[in-house]
Structures are given as C-alpha cells and as structure tokens.
Amino acid sequence: MPTEPPAFIDFAAARGRHLIRTAYLLTGGDAHLAEDLAQEALGRLFGQWRKVSRMANPAGYAQTVLVNTFLSWRRRRSSTEHVTDTFAEPAVAAPDHALRVTLLRALGELPPPDRAVLVLRYWEDRSAEETAAVLRLSPGAVRVRSSRALARLRTVLGEELDELVHP
C-alpha cells in the first residue's frame, strides 16, 4: 500500500473509462446516461476523497458507488422519461413582445425576494421544494411568498392584466 494517498484527478483519469464502461453495461447500452452516472459517482467520491483514498481498495469502492448511483437513478421518477420527437404542447407561433416587456417591467417593481420566488417558481418552472432549497426557505414559506407575490404582481399590472390576457 502506498504511503501517500493518490490524488483524485489521477484516480479519476485512471478509473474513469472503466466506470463508464461498467455504467454502459448497467444502462443497457445508453452511452449518454453511462457518462452521467460515472460523472455523478466520481462527484460523490470527490466529496469523500480523503476517506476513500485511505481505503485498501478505492477502485472497488468506486464501483460500489457507481452501482448505488445507478440503482438510485432507476428509482427516480425521471428515469421513466423517454426521448420522443413530439411535444406535449404546441409551440407558440410568435412571441408576444408586449406581454414580455410588460411582465418584466412589473417584475422589476416587486421587492427582490418576491421577484426571486416568482422567477424561480414560474419562469424557470421549479418546484416549491427546489425553490426553497435555492432560497434557503421552507417549502411552505415559498408557497406563501408565491401567493403574495402573485397578488402584488396583479396589483402592479392593474388594468393591463385584462388587456394582456384578453387582447
């Protein structure tokens, strides 16, 4: 056993292709997913590298992390998604510039915390839990702030809201 633990970069360079090859087999031949899984496994190893580098067999541990990463990926809801060439919603024919400018102006008049909640929840389409994690709030606080921020946005828009919704 070496007296000095190997650097993570050297380990990743030496074992990365093997991890990708194993992940490729685990995923049934999905090369892109295999790369994602190997990258996630290496990311998890990096976070624990001091402890892992002192193990008798860090490569074996890396394989275990890769398999556990694959198994947890399989349990996620997103793992049931499949790539398709059709879209659930039809594309908008032409962007409505007036609506965009009006909404951006109204958002600019809101306090920064309200603006942050609305942008994350509705513009970026994040869940309350994801927004809460980013803003370091509870999901309940995000829902309350979202409701209040939308009410403020409606007040700021005033009569313009009816004109924008029903041209």
Side-chain angles (χ1 to χ4, degrees), residues 116-164:
V117 167
L118 291 180
V119 168
L120 290 172
R121 285 283 285 136
Y122 302 106
W123 203 288
E124 292 187 2
D125 197 28
R126 294 185 184 212
S127 68
E129 290 75 19
E130 291 171 329
T131 304
V134 170
L135 298 176
R136 295 186 179 137
L137 299 170
S138 70
V142 167
R143 286 188 274 277
V144 168
R145 187 174 288 274
S146 295
S147 175
R148 291 179 182 164
L150 285 172
R152 286 187 187 115
L153 186 64
R154 286 183 192 103
T155 302
V156 168
L157 287 170
E159 293 179 12
E160 286 181 87
L161 183 61
D162 287 336
E163 294 171 16
L164 292 170

Side-chain angles (χ1 to χ4, degrees), residues 10-42:
D10 295 337
F11 177 82
R15 299 300 301 169
R17 295 190 107 176
H18 182 74
L19 291 173
I20 292 172
R21 188 172 28 250
T22 302
Y24 182 80
L25 296 172
L26 288 171
T27 61
D30 186 339
H32 299 290
L33 179 58
E35 290 175 357
D36 289 348
L37 290 173
Q39 182 177 2
E40 187 172 336
L42 285 171

Side-chain angles (χ1 to χ4, degrees), residues 19 22-28 33-34 36-38 40-41 44 61-80:
L19 291 173
T22 302
Y24 182 80
L25 296 172
L26 288 171
T27 61
L33 179 58
D36 289 348
L37 290 173
E40 187 172 336
R44 290 180 182 182
Y61 185 74
Q63 289 295 112
T64 302
V65 170
L66 176 68
V67 170
N68 288 339
T69 301
F70 168 71
L71 292 174
S72 68
W73 170 82
R74 297 290 298 165
R75 287 189 286 265
R76 290 185 204 152
R77 281 183 56 181
S78 64
S79 67
T80 60

Side-chain angles (χ1 to χ4, degrees), residues 29 45 49 55 60 73 86-87 97 105 109 144 146 148 156:
L45 285 171
W49 185 244
M55 293 180 171
W73 170 82
T86 59
F87 296 100
H97 297 292
R105 182 194 49 76
E109 293 181 25
V144 168
S146 295
R148 291 179 182 164
V156 168

